[in-house]
């Protein structure tokens, strides 16, 4: 079942990527009567130097062997980014370093908690490989609500972003932030595709969130998550941050997200005043 899911993901990814490459970009002449958005299967196969039956089997999720040379040809034809290339190789199992499944114990090393506490007015939190928030500093708790009382999925970063109204209400640029978050999650999803927990979460979100359902079908991927986020806090007004997400170490399942106040927006001063009033 897990291998079938991986092959289906690979086929879906290839279909979405070829649909966005125009014949003009690929150096082909296009008829005004053309109905297919992007490239046809036979065009991808021809441009990549592979047979049409073989490429069709790949898109249909059949159990076939894929060489690194063929994958590199598809990368060039479909004009994949570095993150998309890595994702393709991960799904095709050309990269054997697919993360193993191990239990999530819900705790973090004390040193990580110390780092969080030393960040002061910079909101920050740590999530596990399933994106459940394990630890946070005082500033993050003040801005995000009472995480101590949050239960089960309410502690999951993706669920909070797509399903909790407080997130939608407070994040001014919610669409940009959530779309980037989902692209980053998609990359992690492929990494842990053998973990059924991921599939369960995706099914729940797919059934309850229209934006999630629409964006999930687009199959956008990102190896890292960073950008700008603007919060409209009920006590401080607008707060502007640049956020970065870091893997704590190469052998670790932990990710740390840190929000840096953007200069000349008054954000840091507002947070200091808010924390001082508590």
């Amino acid at each position: 079942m897990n291998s079938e899911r991986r092959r289906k993901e690979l086929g879906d990814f290839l279909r979405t990527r070829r649909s966005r490459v125009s014949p003009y970009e690929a150096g082909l002449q296009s008829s005004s009567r053309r109905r297919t958005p992007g490239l046809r299967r036979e065009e991808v196969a021809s441009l990549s130097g592979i047979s049409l039956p073989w490429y069709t089997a790949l898109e249909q999720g059949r159990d076939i062997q894929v060489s690194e040379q063929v994958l590199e040809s598809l990368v060039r034809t479909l004009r994949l980014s570095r993150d998309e290339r890595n994702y393709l190789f991960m799904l095709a199992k050309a990269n054997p370093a697919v993360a193993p499944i191990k239990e999530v114990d819900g705790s973090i090393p004390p040193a990580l908690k110390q780092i969080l506490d030393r960040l002061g007015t910079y909101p920050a939190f740590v999530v596990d490989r399933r994106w459940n928030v394990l630890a946070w500093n005082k500033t993050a708790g003040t801005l995000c609500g009472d995480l101590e009382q949050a239960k089960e999925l309410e502690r999951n970063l993706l669920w909070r972003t797509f399903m909790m109204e407080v997130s939608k209400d407070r994040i001014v640029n919610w669409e940009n932030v959530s779309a980037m978050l989902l692209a980053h999650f998609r990359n992690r999803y492929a990494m842990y595709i053998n973990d059924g927990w991921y599939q369960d979460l995706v099914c729940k979100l797919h059934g309850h969130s229209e934006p999630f359902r629409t964006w999930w079908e687009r199959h956008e991927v990102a190896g890292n998550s960073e950008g700008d986020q603007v919060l409209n806090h009920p006590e401080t007004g607008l707060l502007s941050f640049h956020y970065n997400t870091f893997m704590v170490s190469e052998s670790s399942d932990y990710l740390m997200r840190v929000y840096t106040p953007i200069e000349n927006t008054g954000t840091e001063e507002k947070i200091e005043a808010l924390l001082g009033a508590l």
Side-chain angles (χ1 to χ4, degrees):
M1 180 63 183
N2 292 329
S3 60
E4 290 178 8
R5 183 181 304 146
R6 177 184 56 79
R7 294 196 301 270
K8 182 180 184 304
E9 283 290 306
L10 176 59
D12 290 344
F13 180 65
L14 290 172
R15 280 192 294 274
T16 59
R17 295 312 93 175
R18 71 175 169 87
S19 69
R20 72 176 189 177
V21 179
S22 71
Y24 175 79
E25 290 175 314
L28 302 174
Q29 292 185 344
S30 177
S31 169
S32 59
R33 298 180 180 178
R34 187 184 185 95
R35 300 178 185 178
T36 305
L39 298 177
R40 300 186 179 100
R41 282 178 177 172
E42 57 267 29
E43 292 168 337
V44 173
S46 177
L47 290 168
S48 303
I50 57 181
S51 71
L52 175 58
W54 190 93
Y55 178 75
T56 300
L58 189 62
E59 265 201 16
Q60 291 177 344
R62 298 180 193 173
D63 189 7
I64 59 177
Q65 297 297 316
V66 189
S67 71
E68 184 171 330
Q69 181 180 3
V70 167
L71 291 176
E72 291 291 4
S73 295
L74 291 173
V75 169
R76 290 190 294 271
T77 298
L78 300 176
R79 307 171 69 88
L80 301 185
S81 68
R82 182 182 63 180
D83 288 342
E84 290 169 334
R85 176 191 178 278
N86 293 339
Y87 185 76
L88 173 68
F89 271 65
M90 195 183 306
L91 289 176
K93 282 195 171 180
N95 179 0
V98 178
I101 297 176
K102 59 183 179 181
E103 291 300 317
V104 177
D105 62 10
S107 62
I108 67 169
L112 290 185
K113 188 64 172 68
Q114 279 188 301
I115 293 173
L116 290 175
D117 293 338
R118 295 295 189 275
L119 288 172
T121 56
Y122 290 16
F125 52 79
V126 172
V127 299
D128 62 21
R129 65 174 170 82
R130 292 174 174 171
W131 284 29
N132 296 315
V133 180
L134 299 181
W136 56 92
N137 60 9
K138 181 179 179 180
T139 308
T142 301
L143 297 180
C144 298
D146 191 358
L147 290 169
E148 286 286 358
Q149 301 302 316
K151 299 178 181 179
E152 299 179 357
L153 284 177
E154 291 179 358
R155 284 251 190 123
N156 183 268
L157 185 57
L158 203 66
W159 185 270
R160 290 182 65 86
T161 301
F162 279 91
M163 294 302 300
M164 297 184 68
E165 291 303 320
V166 65
S167 297
K168 296 180 181 180
D169 292 341
R170 289 192 181 184
I171 302 176
V172 176
N173 57 333
W174 181 84
E175 288 195 7
N176 290 339
V177 170
S178 53
M180 176 56 71
L181 182 69
L182 184 56
H184 188 203
F185 176 82
R186 189 96 198 210
N187 194 69
R188 303 285 290 183
Y189 175 82
M191 187 181 299
Y192 295 106
I193 202 164
N194 293 335
D195 187 344
W197 187 94
Y198 275 80
Q199 186 67 21
D200 290 341
L201 177 63
V202 168
C203 287
K204 289 176 182 176
L205 286 167
H206 201 276
H208 290 87
S209 171
E210 179 69 27
F212 179 91
R213 188 160 50 248
T214 300
W215 297 341
W216 187 255
E217 299 304 322
R218 295 176 184 171
H219 227 116
E220 300 294 340
V221 296
N224 194 11
S225 179
E226 65 175 286
D228 294 336
Q229 180 166 318
V230 181
L231 295 180
N232 188 7
H233 192 272
E235 296 182 43
T236 65
L238 296 180
L239 300 171
S240 300
F241 300 96
H242 184 81
Y243 63 87
N244 294 87
T245 308
F246 307 95
M247 185 177 293
V248 174
S249 69
E250 291 186 2
S251 60
S252 174
D253 290 327
Y254 302 121
L255 295 174
M256 179 180 291
R257 174 168 282 200
V258 180
Y259 295 80
T260 306
I262 296 178
E263 294 183 351
N264 302 319
T265 63
T267 296
E268 193 158 8
E269 294 79 5
K270 291 178 183 178
I271 293 177
E272 289 176 351
L274 178 63
L275 296 176
L278 298 178

